[in-house]
Amino acid sequence: MKKLARKERQVELKNIIEINPFITDEELAKKYDCSVQTIRLDRLLMGIPEVRERMKSVARENYDKVKTTKDYEIVGELLEIDLDNKAISYMEVSKDMVSEKNNICRGHHIFAQANMLALSMVDAEIALTGSARIRYKRPVYFKEKLVATAYVAKKRSNKLLIKVVTKSGAEEVFVGKFIIVTR
Amino acid sequence: MKKLARKERQVELKNIIEINPFITDEELAKKYDCSVQTIRLDRLLMGIPEVRERMKSVARENYDKVKTTKDYEIVGELLEIDLDNKAISYMEVSKDMVSEKNNICRGHHIFAQANMLALSMVDAEIALTGSARIRYKRPVYFKEKLVATAYVAKKRSNKLLIKVVTKSGAEEVFVGKFIIVTR
DNA sequence: CATGTATTAGTACCTAGTAACAATACCAAG
DNA sequence: CTTGGTATTGTTACTAGGTACTAATACATG
C-alpha cells in the first residue's frame, strides 16, 4: 500500500473502520505503513472511538436487534385474538422495510404481517398458506402504523378462507384473501 | 443479595452472563458479595470467557447477521437478469425463515423472494406491487434451495403482469402472478 | 531561514483482564 | 484439638489496546 496524504488516509480510515469495526490501531498502522500514533491522532481528529468501544456498540446495537428480529417470527404485534373469529395485529413500518430510494415499504412486509395474522387465527398443529389473492391499494411509507384485521370468511374441513384488511389510519392500504390449509 | 454456595453461584453466574454478556467481573463480585477473584475462578472453572471476548462474540455474531439482513433488501441472490424478459433468483431457506415448531418455511419468505424478483425485472423509477395471486404447492423445509424464475407475461402502459415460478430442485413449490405498477 | 503541518517517539496511566502463588476461612473427620 | 480439604481472598507480575500528553523530527512553503 502506497503512502497516502493525511486527508486521503482519514477518509479511507473511516470507510475501513465502518466495514470492519474490529480492526486495531496496530493493524491499521501496518495497512497504511505509518505509526500507530498517526492512526490514533487521525481517529482522535475524526472522533472515531477505540476498537473496544466500537465492538461494544456493534454488540449492543445488535443485541437489541436480535430481540426485535425474534419478534419477527411473529411480524407485527398481536393486539387481539379471538380464534376462528377475528384478530388484529399492529406493525410500524421500520427503516429496513422500506426501499432506500423512495421510502416506500416493500410489499412483502405488508404481506408478511397479513400472512402471519391469518395463520395465527388457526388453531391447528400445522397451518400453512395454500394460496392468496392480494391487492395493494396505495404505497405505504416509512413510519406508517399499520393495523391489520383478519376474520374467517369460510371454513370447511381442512381449509379456511381468511380475509385480511390492513389500514393506515382510516385508509385501507392492503386487502388479502388467504386460504389456509391445516393438518 | 445473600451469600450463595459455590454451585448455586456458578449456575446463577452462567444465567446472568447469558442474559447480560456485558457485565464485568467487578460488577458480578458486587452482585454476589464476593471477591473479584472468586468470580474469575468460577468463570475459569466454567469456561466462560472474559467480558471483552464475550462482547466480541456478540458483536461478530450480529455483525454477520446485519450483513445478511442488508442482503434482505434484495432477498435471494439474483442469478440472471434480462430486463423485460426473464430473471432468476436463488435463495436457501435459512433457520430464521422457518417455524421452530415444524421446520416449515413461512410463506411470506417465499413470497418475498418472488416479489423482489418481479420488481427487479422492471426498469422504472418507481415500481410497486399492485396485486398478486399466489399458490403454494407444497411445504418448503429448512435448507431447501429455492430457484425462482420470473418472466413478463403481459405489458401495457404502466402495468406489467409478471409470472414467477419457484422450484426446489425439479419440483414446483410456488407460483405467483404479480401485477407491478410503475410510475 | 523561519514557520507550520504531519509524523513519530516516548512516558505515565487506564481497564479488564490472565497466570501463578500465598494466605486465610471454615467445616468435618480422626 | 488438630489435621485435611475445599472455598475464598489477596498479592504480584504481566497483557492488550488503548488515552492523554509532551517532545522531537521531517518536510514543504512562503
Side-chain angles (χ1 to χ4, degrees):
Chain A
M1 190 138 205
K2 65 157 200 281
K3 285 252 188 186
L4 297 170
R6 163 163 260 182
K7 276 250 166 138
E8 292 179 90
R9 193 185 50 237
Q10 289 188 346
V11 172
E12 283 210 33
L13 213 61
K14 196 162 199 166
N15 292 334
I16 204 163
I17 287 174
E18 199 152 327
I19 61 167
N20 176 197
F22 304 97
I23 200 164
T24 63
D25 288 358
E26 210 177 333
E27 294 172 300
L28 287 165
K30 259 178 210 160
K31 219 176 188 96
Y32 292 108
D33 190 27
C34 67
S35 75
V36 176
Q37 281 75 8
T38 304
I39 300 292
R40 299 230 221 273
L41 203 72
D42 284 344
R43 273 202 301 100
L44 195 76
L45 291 172
M46 311 191 71
I48 300 170
E50 59 172 292
V51 70
R52 283 169 301 214
E53 289 306 312
R54 294 194 306 260
M55 289 195 319
K56 200 189 280 183
S57 346
V58 173
R60 274 195 200 284
E61 240 176 69
N62 296 306
Y63 200 66
D64 298 343
K65 210 169 272 175
V66 169
K67 281 183 193 153
T68 35
T69 309
K70 280 202 171 159
D71 288 341
Y72 188 69
E73 172 85 9
I74 312 168
V75 191
E77 193 183 336
L78 216 56
L79 293 183
E80 197 185 307
I81 184 150
D82 177 2
L83 279 178
D84 289 1
N85 188 9
K86 190 180 162 191
I88 300 173
S89 127
Y90 170 84
M91 179 177 87
E92 188 176 323
V93 177
S94 68
K95 197 151 197 178
D96 49 74
M97 295 183 191
V98 302
S99 154
E100 277 188 20
K101 230 168 35 181
N102 50 31
N103 254 355
I104 295 175
C105 182
R106 304 281 186 198
H108 55 264
H109 291 109
I110 299 165
F111 176 85
Q113 182 193 15
N115 184 48
M116 289 303 286
L117 184 64
L119 288 172
S120 74
M121 290 204 67
V122 183
D123 183 28
E125 265 302 290
I126 299 177
L128 297 172
T129 312
S131 64
R133 297 178 73 158
I134 59 177
R135 200 161 77 251
Y136 295 89
K137 299 200 146 187
R138 72 146 170 86
V140 171
Y141 293 85
F142 180 41
K143 291 218 169 176
E144 282 200 65
K145 296 166 213 315
L146 302 179
V147 176
T149 311
Y151 69 90
V152 178
K154 228 178 255 176
K155 195 175 169 181
R156 85 161 79 89
S157 72
N158 68 331
K159 275 182 192 163
L160 286 95
L161 173 63
I162 294 174
K163 198 176 169 192
V164 181
V165 176
T166 304
K167 289 184 181 184
S168 176
E171 221 177 334
E172 277 189 14
V173 296
F174 170 95
V175 287
K177 283 178 201 157
F178 293 82
I179 288 176
I180 306 296
V181 184
T182 62
R183 277 197 283 187
Chain B
M1 190 142 205
K2 67 157 198 279
K3 284 253 188 187
L4 297 170
R6 164 163 258 182
K7 277 248 167 140
E8 293 179 90
R9 194 185 49 236
Q10 288 188 347
V11 172
E12 282 210 33
L13 214 59
K14 196 162 200 168
N15 292 334
I16 204 163
I17 287 174
E18 199 152 327
I19 61 167
N20 176 198
F22 303 97
I23 199 164
T24 63
D25 288 357
E26 210 177 334
E27 293 172 302
L28 287 165
K30 257 178 212 160
K31 219 175 189 97
Y32 292 109
D33 191 25
C34 66
S35 77
V36 176
Q37 283 73 9
T38 304
I39 299 292
R40 300 230 220 273
L41 202 72
D42 285 343
R43 273 201 303 101
L44 196 75
L45 292 173
M46 311 190 71
I48 299 170
E50 58 172 292
V51 70
R52 282 170 300 213
E53 290 306 312
R54 296 195 305 262
M55 289 196 318
K56 202 190 277 184
S57 343
V58 173
R60 273 195 202 286
E61 241 176 72
N62 296 307
Y63 198 66
D64 297 346
K65 215 168 269 173
V66 168
K67 275 187 192 151
T68 34
T69 309
K70 277 201 174 160
D71 285 355
Y72 189 68
E73 171 86 11
I74 312 168
V75 192
E77 192 183 336
L78 216 55
L79 294 182
E80 197 185 307
I81 185 152
D82 177 3
L83 280 178
D84 289 2
N85 188 9
K86 190 181 162 191
I88 300 174
S89 125
Y90 170 84
M91 179 178 87
E92 188 177 323
V93 177
S94 67
K95 197 151 196 177
D96 49 74
M97 296 183 190
V98 302
S99 155
E100 276 187 24
K101 228 169 34 182
N102 49 31
N103 254 356
I104 294 175
C105 182
R106 303 280 185 199
H108 54 264
H109 292 108
I110 298 165
F111 176 85
Q113 182 194 15
N115 184 48
M116 289 304 286
L117 184 65
L119 289 172
S120 75
M121 291 205 65
V122 183
D123 182 30
E125 265 302 289
I126 300 177
L128 297 172
T129 312
S131 64
R133 296 178 76 158
I134 60 177
R135 200 162 76 249
Y136 295 89
K137 300 200 144 186
R138 72 147 169 85
V140 171
Y141 293 85
F142 181 41
K143 289 218 171 176
E144 282 201 65
K145 295 164 214 313
L146 303 180
V147 176
T149 310
Y151 69 89
V152 178
K154 227 178 258 179
K155 196 176 169 182
R156 84 162 81 88
S157 70
N158 69 330
K159 276 182 190 162
L160 285 95
L161 173 63
I162 294 174
K163 200 178 168 190
V164 181
V165 176
T166 304
K167 289 184 179 184
S168 176
E171 223 177 334
E172 277 190 14
V173 296
F174 170 94
V175 286
K177 283 179 203 157
F178 294 82
I179 288 176
I180 306 297
V181 185
T182 62
R183 277 198 283 188

